[in-house]
Amino acid sequence: EQTAAHFMPEERTLESLQTAAEGCRACDLHRCASRTVFGEGPSTARLVIVGEQPGDQEDLSGKPFVGPAGQLLDQALSQAGLNRQQVYVTNVVKHFKFTTRGKRRLHAKPNSREIFACRPWLEAELAAVQPQAIVCLGVTPAQALLGRDFRLTQNRGRILHTEWSRRTVATWHPAAILRMPDPARSAQMQSQLVDDLVLAASPTDVRH
Ligand code: URA
Ligand code: SF4
């Protein structure tokens, strides 16, 4: 089974990784998506935020977390006293997966083969940035970095060790907060997202 490792450049700076990922053909998702949506942010970032997969607007713009979930993330970051410009934001899977419903493109969950195929890009990004802290948004990045048995309901908001950071924290995905029908529950999840960002960011110097 082919993985992104096959497309890995020799020089692994964020720029050369991004360029190489534009040509990745390690799974079928590149066939229907418009472009690779690589991570974005400074190589000196102390905090890396990992989402699941680009959505419709990310696919069109080529940038991660620019749609509705991204707006909620930006709001949570600023509530946590963090600046998006100082954070490196990426996804486990770099191409948009969708089903079409009329003219709309609806998000479809990546399967384990696609996650496995794409994972070398995320690992290379983490190796290039060497963050002090990592925040996993939702269960897909949490399982990718913390293992398939990870459960968000049990381990959200805890500091966990991974080989990429001794401060890895999993929290709610902003899209899950947006989908939550109960407004009180949705507000609670949003404040937990902010708390979890604060937890990951302190007491290290990730704000600078
Ligand atoms: N949801 C994600 O997980 N990532 C994005 O980039 C956008 C929405
Ligand atoms: Fe490569 Fe990932 Fe895109 Fe699949 S989703 S083609 S592994 S970049």
Side-chain angles (χ1 to χ4, degrees):
E1 199 76 52
Q2 203 173 51
T3 76
H6 184 76
F7 297 86
M8 206 50 68
E10 231 164 82
E11 185 198 48
R12 297 197 187 179
T13 63
L14 290 175
E15 294 73 22
S16 53
L17 289 168
Q18 172 158 24
T19 303
E22 281 161 14
C24 185
R25 303 286 180 266
C27 78
D28 284 340
L29 295 183
H30 71 89
R31 293 174 192 273
C32 298
S34 324
R35 53 180 57 77
T36 303
V37 180
F38 206 66
E40 184 184 49
S43 62
T44 52
R46 280 135 158 125
L47 176 63
V48 169
I49 295 182
V50 190
E52 181 182 80
Q53 187 176 32
D56 179 71
Q57 294 193 40
E58 289 78 18
D59 176 75
L60 297 174
S61 72
K63 291 176 183 300
F65 281 102
V66 293
Q71 282 163 28
L72 198 150
L73 175 63
D74 287 350
Q75 192 187 336
L77 281 167
S78 85
Q79 286 176 301
L82 295 161
N83 180 347
R84 164 100 183 231
Q85 311 308 319
Q86 295 163 333
V87 172
Y88 187 83
V89 179
T90 190
N91 286 296
V92 174
V93 171
K94 305 312 198 222
H95 275 103
F96 179 39
K97 182 178 184 180
F98 58 93
T99 55
T100 46
R101 193 75 52 79
K103 284 185 180 164
R104 291 176 55 211
R105 304 191 299 172
L106 303 179
H107 167 94
K109 260 198 168 308
N111 64 37
S112 54
R113 187 165 26 82
E114 292 152 352
I115 292 169
F116 182 75
C118 210
R119 188 192 157 90
W121 294 125
L122 176 61
E123 291 189 7
E125 289 172 292
L126 292 171
V129 177
Q130 296 191 272
Q132 292 184 13
I134 300 172
V135 171
C136 297
L137 299 177
V139 76
T140 301
Q143 289 189 346
L145 298 184
L146 291 153
R148 293 304 306 269
D149 295 335
F150 183 88
R151 295 289 171 270
L152 206 56
T153 45
Q154 285 166 27
N155 286 310
R156 180 202 59 78
R158 295 202 184 156
I159 293 171
L160 304 163
H161 294 191
T162 59
E163 66 178 279
W164 301 280
S165 170
R166 296 172 55 78
R167 279 184 98 75
T168 302
V169 175
T171 188
W172 306 119
H173 194 294
I177 300 174
L178 292 172
R179 275 197 309 270
M180 182 56 60
D182 174 6
R185 177 71 181 134
S186 163
Q188 183 194 39
M189 288 166 81
Q190 184 163 351
S191 83
Q192 288 173 333
L193 168 60
V194 173
D195 290 348
D196 296 343
L197 288 167
V198 169
L199 175 72
S202 60
T204 56
D205 301 327
V206 298
R207 281 151 212 278
H208 302 302

